[in-house]
Amino acid sequence: MAKSCCPTNQQSKIGAESATGAGVYNLFYDSISGRPTRGVERETCLNPFKDSSTTKATVPPVCLDYARGRCSRGATCRRLHRLPAVQDEELPHSVDIFGRQRSALGPASFLGRNSSIVFEKPANQQGMLAICKHIGPVTEYSLVTTLVVHFKHRIYAEFALEALCGQRLSTLNAIYNVSLFKDGLVDVSWAHINLGDIPCESVLDLY
């Protein structure tokens, strides 16, 4: 059974930690993001079939707590509670799908167009690929020792990272009805690519 959203007191605790600067420093975003370190299990998990709902928002960004399966604000939330959509691809290059400022550092740099993520030794690559295809359009993928998934646009990769990182395979199996065989935690990150091999955005496009 899928893990449920955090209760209100847990949500308040999470908010307090963010306000006081607690959390994990994210080098790629140059900020405290609260993203768990690799190998740490998430307490909540998004079920897009049940958790998507109408909120006060009509335009992006998407709610980060929704992606992590822990938003307790419901219909009063001021951010979108749904998967990324094609209209969201028009977001400025300076922010991600959650409205966070993007950095010039790392594989998620706003100077490039990286939209690929890599799963380290998934129990079932085809099952994990099926989950990614539900989150957003996948244009390419590689099934070797690791699973590399290339989305049509980086917003889907940004969402997938937050929704899947640290999730238990048995939980995802129950939500998406895929055969992930073994249990364990999802280990996913940005795929490291050479930014010199891809076209850079125009400076004018960053604003």
Side-chain angles (χ1 to χ4, degrees):
M1 181 177 294
K3 293 170 281 187
S4 59
C5 293
C6 290
T8 304
N9 59 344
Q10 178 69 13
Q11 185 71 25
S12 300
K13 179 181 178 182
I14 294 171
E17 289 176 349
S18 299
T20 57
V24 179
Y25 180 73
N26 187 325
L27 176 63
F28 298 154
Y29 288 102
D30 192 26
S31 65
I32 300 295
S33 68
R35 181 177 297 171
T37 55
R38 299 172 76 171
V40 176
E41 182 177 2
R42 282 276 174 83
E43 296 180 356
T44 56
C45 183
L46 169 68
N47 184 335
F49 305 104
K50 295 182 179 180
D51 297 341
S52 299
S53 61
T54 301
T55 63
K56 289 186 175 182
T58 57
V59 295
V62 172
C63 176
L64 177 60
D65 287 328
Y66 160 77
R68 295 176 177 177
R70 69 183 193 184
C71 186
S72 62
R73 295 177 290 275
T76 64
C77 186
R78 297 185 179 276
R79 299 204 169 189
L80 297 172
H81 280 198
R82 61 162 172 76
L83 296 175
V86 63
Q87 60 266 31
D88 303 333
E89 296 176 13
E90 300 301 320
L91 275 172
H93 298 296
S94 57
V95 297
D96 70 1
I97 188 62
F98 305 107
R100 300 177 297 192
Q101 292 294 318
R102 300 173 68 204
S103 173
L105 302 174
S109 169
F110 63 71
L111 297 176
R113 295 179 179 175
N114 189 9
S115 59
S116 300
I117 58 177
V118 57
F119 294 87
E120 298 293 337
K121 300 179 181 178
N124 183 336
Q125 294 181 331
Q126 290 291 349
M128 194 60 67
L129 177 61
I131 293 176
C132 287
K133 288 182 177 179
H134 180 81
I135 291 176
V138 173
T139 57
E140 296 180 57
Y141 61 89
S142 173
L143 300 172
V144 193
T145 56
T146 59
L147 169 62
V148 179
V149 177
H150 181 76
F151 288 96
K152 174 190 173 187
H153 194 277
R154 49 104 180 163
I155 62 170
Y156 307 107
E158 292 164 350
F159 189 94
L161 282 169
E162 292 295 349
L164 300 178
C165 182
Q167 295 298 341
R168 188 160 290 281
L169 294 176
S170 57
T171 301
L172 295 176
N173 184 54
I175 293 175
Y176 293 93
N177 192 28
V178 294
S179 298
L180 296 177
F181 304 139
K182 301 177 182 179
D183 200 6
L185 301 181
V186 175
D187 186 357
V188 59
S189 59
W190 284 102
H192 287 267
I193 61 174
N194 183 356
L195 294 180
D197 293 338
I198 57 177
C200 292
E201 306 291 356
S202 165
V203 174
L204 295 178
D205 289 337
L206 301 179
Y207 302 95

